[in-house]
């Protein structure tokens, strides 16, 4: 089958289209004929040699797909050949076929086309597991989302609004500010033109945010802690701004704050299955009711994978970048 093959580690020039063996499902797995695959920042890191797949995962890049099931393991229940689906992966998505543990497969939500469904698994699982299962965001609380126009950010805004939270976000352009406010954010802050922590303080009457979803890591650590409300929860899911920062423990303790770091790819199949079961139960009805939707910036054919990576690296996109097969 065709797949994206990395010839070493480095820039987009290492991405080529090659042939790899077709996958065969184990007893508890299914094979999906891929229609579309999501492009994530983790994919860029893997291409650069900085984020190797976990043990046992396919070496091919790609953490989420949509498509049609073409083979089913002997012990799999609830899925049949021909079913349309989307899936969360530990790797392997940039290919014509991918093998996936059955608990990591979800039905396509009502009202979503099969290509757009590839924009959902990674972002919805990340947002739901961290903001709701982990940080327990409640109606009436304030949620601060960094990278509000990203795939994860656009989903976090929508789910926060759908659950009755007040949502603030940081973005890098006026266009992104406008888009995020149309999506439901109460306040969108252009971090290139304003000190976002000061704006958060003013917008919350110095109360701060109850939950902060952070993709920057070290660069934002001090201002994130400063921006926490009493009993506030900071969830770090990315390190685009570095891995090591200085933490003001006195400030954290005075606000009774907590900090958690979370990754999705390395979780067990059982953990991922538990998260996705909640997603199907709690988020898919919101999608069907058109209160939440996948935001797709642009699609690229598989052969244009280098351009897809470049689009994400430029950080000009709003929502998700997808590959189509």
């Amino acid at each position: 089958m065709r797949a994206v093959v990395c010839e070493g580690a480095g820039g987009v020039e290492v991405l080529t289209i090659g042939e790899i063996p077709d996958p065969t499902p184990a007893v508890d797995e299914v094979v999906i004929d891929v229609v579309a695959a999501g492009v994530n920042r983790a994919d860029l890191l893997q291409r650069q040699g900085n984020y190797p797949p976990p043990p046992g995962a396919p070496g091919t890049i790609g953490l989420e797909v949509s498509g049609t099931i073409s083979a089913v393991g002997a012990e799999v229940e609830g899925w049949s050949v021909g079913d349309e689906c989307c899936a969360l992966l530990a790797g392997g998505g940039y290919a014509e076929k991918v093998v996936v543990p059955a608990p990591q497969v979800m039905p396509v939500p009502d009202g979503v086309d099969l290509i757009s469904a590839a924009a959902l698994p990674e972002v919805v699982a990340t947002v739901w597991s961290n903001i709701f299962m982990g940080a327990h965001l409640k109606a009436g609380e304030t949620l601060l989302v960094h990278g509000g126009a990203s795939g994860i950010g656009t989903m976090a805004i929508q789910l926060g609004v759908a659950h009755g939270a007040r949502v603030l976000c940081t973005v890098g352009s006026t266009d992104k500010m406008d888009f995020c406010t149309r999506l439901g954010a109460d306040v969108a802050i252009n971090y290139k033109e304003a000190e976002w922590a000061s704006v958060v303080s003013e917008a919350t009457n110095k109360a701060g945010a109850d939950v902060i979803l952070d993709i920057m890591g070290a660069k934002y650590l001090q201002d994130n802690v400063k921006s926490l409300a009493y009993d506030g929860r900071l969830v770090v899911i990315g390190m685009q701004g570095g891995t090591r920062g200085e933490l003001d423990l006195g400030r954290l303790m005075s606000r009774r704050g907590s900090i958690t770091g979370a990754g999705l790819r390395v979780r067990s199949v059982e953990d991922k299955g538990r998260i996705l079961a909640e997603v199907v139960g709690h988020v898919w009805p919101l999608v069907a009711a058109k209160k939440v939707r996948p935001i797709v910036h642009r699609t690229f054919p598989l052969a244009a994978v280098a351009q897809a990576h470049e689009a994400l690296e430029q950080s000009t996109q709003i929502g998700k970048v997808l590959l189509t097969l």
Side-chain angles (χ1 to χ4, degrees):
M1 65 177 180
R2 287 190 311 141
V4 173
V5 178
C6 288
E7 297 182 342
V12 296
E13 69 278 356
V14 305
L15 297 169
T16 62
I17 304 298
E19 294 283 332
I20 63 174
D22 287 5
T24 302
V27 294
D28 57 351
E29 295 176 329
V30 302
V31 173
I32 299 173
D33 287 352
V34 177
V35 168
V39 179
N40 294 282
R41 290 202 174 271
D43 303 347
L44 311 186
L45 293 173
Q46 183 171 336
R47 185 202 74 217
Q48 295 161 1
N50 297 322
Y51 192 28
T60 307
I61 297 174
L63 299 177
E64 59 187 339
V65 298
S66 60
T68 304
I69 292 178
S70 59
V72 178
E75 296 179 4
V76 172
E77 298 180 353
W79 293 105
S80 302
V81 172
D83 288 345
E84 293 186 342
C85 64
C86 56
L88 183 69
L89 317 173
Y94 291 13
E96 290 182 319
K97 298 175 181 288
V98 66
V99 65
V100 192
Q104 294 174 209
V105 183
M106 298 179 289
V108 175
D110 290 343
V112 176
D113 65 90
L114 191 54
I115 289 176
S116 298
L120 289 171
E122 183 76 18
V123 296
V124 179
T126 297
V127 171
W128 187 260
S129 63
N130 286 293
I131 293 180
F132 296 95
M133 296 174 72
H136 304 289
L137 180 70
K138 303 177 185 67
E141 290 191 321
T142 296
L143 168 66
L144 171 60
V145 179
H146 290 302
S150 67
I152 286 174
T154 53
M155 182 55 63
I157 290 169
Q158 293 182 86
L159 285 176
V161 170
H163 285 82
R166 184 179 188 225
V167 181
L168 287 64
C169 67
T170 62
V171 295
S173 72
T174 301
D175 287 346
K176 290 180 178 181
M177 290 175 65
D178 292 342
F179 187 89
C180 289
T181 53
R182 291 198 304 271
L183 208 56
D186 295 273
V187 180
I189 308 160
N190 186 343
Y191 64 83
K192 295 180 180 178
E193 298 181 351
E195 293 183 357
W196 64 262
S198 298
V199 178
V200 169
S201 178
E202 180 180 353
T204 61
N205 293 319
K206 299 184 179 180
D210 299 287
V211 177
I212 300 176
L213 187 67
D214 178 53
I215 60 171
M216 294 303 295
K219 183 178 181 179
Y220 278 9
L221 180 59
Q222 292 190 46
D223 280 342
N224 275 333
V225 171
K226 185 169 69 174
S227 300
L228 281 175
Y230 285 106
D231 298 312
R233 293 86 77 193
L234 167 60
V235 184
V236 181
I237 60 169
M239 298 176 290
Q240 294 180 37
T243 61
R244 295 176 180 271
E246 186 172 306
L247 175 61
D248 185 344
L249 289 171
R251 174 73 182 188
L252 185 69
M253 293 172 67
S254 72
R255 306 299 281 186
R256 302 188 301 270
S258 63
I259 302 174
T260 57
L264 185 61
R265 189 180 194 183
V266 296
R267 288 177 180 262
S268 68
V269 172
E270 291 74 21
D271 274 352
K272 292 175 183 176
R274 180 170 54 89
I275 292 167
L276 297 185
E278 289 212 11
V279 164
V280 172
H282 295 283
V283 180
W284 271 200
L286 296 174
V287 177
K290 301 189 184 306
K291 295 180 179 180
V292 173
R293 61 187 173 94
I295 308 295
V296 177
H297 173 73
R298 185 176 173 186
T299 63
F300 293 84
L302 188 68
V305 60
Q307 292 96 308
H309 275 222
E310 288 173 338
L312 199 59
E313 287 177 331
Q314 291 164 2
S315 293
T316 56
Q317 88 287 351
I318 294 176
K320 294 284 292 188
V321 173
L322 301 179
L323 295 172
T324 56
L325 286 90

